[in-house]
Amino acid sequence: MSQAGRNSAFTKGMLVLGFVFLYAPILSLMVYSFNESRLVTVWSGFSVKWYGELFADQQMMDAAWVSIQVAFWTACASVVLGTMAAMVMTRFRQFPGKTIFGGLITAPLVMPEVITGLSILLLFVSIGPLIGIGGQRGMLTIWIAHVTFCMAFVTVVISSRLGELDRSLEEAAMDLGANRLKVFFVITLPIIAPALISGWLLAFTLSLDDLVIASFVSGPSSTTLPMKVFSSVRLGVSPKINALATLMIAAVSVAAVIGWWVMHREERKRQRDAQLALQKG
């Protein structure tokens, strides 16, 4: 075998080992969610009873509903605020404090979650009574905290897309009489729509997955799903957790496929419109 063939075989082998290392535990978890035994490492037969027990666990369902609500509104707010911040960073000329503004926007990317959660908790304790929160921490405080760090990720995604955008399209629209607001909604927004969808899905996933920050800013009546799962597995792993994880993996997979399909369709449409424009030109 030639040197190139050996290198290719080695590369493929390492790729396969990497995928096995990443996905074998997930597949094992999904398989054992259908295990009849309560022991998660001993297979005793096929059964779906743990899915029934999962849906019968009201505390788990309440925690899941809280996480879904918080993640949905966090993703929506993060996309709006992240788009505004990205526009400021890529479209506005240099202004005093722009560098500091950019640093503050991206700081949550590198800040340990423990520090972020503690700082937000201290903020709520100090100014909570002034804004009507006081000692009643719950879904609102979790939402504010999640928007704080999710917005940074969304801003980076949208800024990269805006940086690649051909500004001549916006300038041409303004030359034809459109104001900046109309240019944004008619020209800019449709072009960056894939980045908005990606940012929304990323923020939704980050919020749904967060444990550390939510532990700092949540109250007794607002337990999120990661907090409930973490408290459950400390007493022993139940097959219900495997069933829950399997359902979450399925939901995320479906959402990822839908998001990919929408972005692929928008990208093909954009390329087709660009080709038509070149042909007419």
Side-chain angles (χ1 to χ4, degrees):
M1 182 181 294
S2 63
Q3 182 66 30
R6 286 194 295 269
N7 291 338
S8 177
F10 176 78
T11 302
K12 292 179 180 178
M14 294 303 296
L15 180 63
V16 170
L17 288 177
F19 279 119
V20 169
F21 178 79
L22 290 174
Y23 294 107
I26 297 176
L27 293 176
S28 175
L29 179 147
M30 296 174 67
V31 170
Y32 275 95
S33 69
F34 298 100
N35 185 16
E36 187 178 4
S37 173
R38 179 174 292 275
L39 300 176
V40 296
T41 57
V42 178
W43 180 264
S44 62
F46 180 86
S47 175
V48 295
K49 68 177 183 179
W50 300 113
Y51 289 87
E53 293 199 15
L54 172 65
F55 288 109
D57 190 337
Q58 191 59 43
Q59 291 184 350
M60 191 73 74
M61 292 296 100
D62 291 341
W65 180 236
V66 169
S67 290
I68 290 173
Q69 291 183 84
V70 171
F72 177 82
W73 293 114
T74 296
C76 294
S78 297
V79 167
V80 174
L81 296 176
T83 302
M84 296 170 62
M87 291 293 293
V88 170
M89 295 301 298
T90 59
R91 291 294 183 268
F92 281 39
R93 296 180 179 178
Q94 192 69 28
F95 57 87
K98 184 177 181 179
T99 303
I100 298 177
F101 175 78
L104 292 176
I105 288 294
T106 57
L109 293 172
V110 297
M111 190 74 66
E113 291 189 359
V114 173
I115 303 301
T116 303
L118 179 60
S119 62
I120 296 176
L121 172 61
L122 295 177
L123 175 67
F124 288 146
V125 171
S126 59
I127 69 170
L130 300 178
I131 60 178
I133 296 178
Q136 300 298 322
R137 295 191 297 273
M139 287 182 59
L140 179 60
T141 55
I142 299 174
W143 174 71
I144 294 173
H146 282 190
V147 171
T148 301
F149 80 93
C150 288
M151 187 187 71
F153 293 88
V154 177
T155 302
V156 171
V157 173
I158 299 177
S159 295
S160 62
R161 185 68 184 95
L162 284 172
E164 299 174 355
L165 180 62
D166 187 2
R167 299 191 63 176
S168 62
L169 299 174
E170 298 175 329
E171 295 172 355
M174 287 188 288
D175 290 340
L176 294 174
N179 56 36
R180 291 186 178 274
L181 188 62
K182 186 174 183 179
V183 168
F184 175 77
F185 283 103
V186 176
I187 303 297
T188 308
L189 195 61
I191 295 177
I192 66 172
L196 298 180
I197 297 174
S198 300
W200 194 95
L201 292 174
L202 177 61
F204 184 88
T205 304
L206 290 171
S207 176
L208 192 66
D209 180 64
D210 176 68
L211 170 65
V212 177
I213 294 178
S215 299
F216 279 97
V217 299
S218 64
S221 60
S222 57
T223 301
T224 63
L225 186 58
M227 295 170 60
K228 178 62 178 176
V229 171
F230 181 73
S231 62
S232 298
V233 298
R234 293 180 67 183
L235 303 176
V237 180
S238 169
K240 290 190 296 184
I241 304 301
N242 289 353
L244 174 64
T246 301
L247 292 176
M248 293 182 65
I249 292 170
V252 170
S253 300
V254 171
V257 170
I258 294 175
W260 172 84
W261 179 77
V262 171
M263 290 187 292
H264 180 68
R265 187 184 64 174
E266 292 294 330
E267 184 65 20
R268 290 185 61 182
K269 181 180 178 182
R270 187 185 66 82
Q271 293 178 356
R272 184 170 60 251
D273 292 342
Q275 291 177 357
L276 291 175
L278 291 174
Q279 292 174 1
K280 291 180 179 180

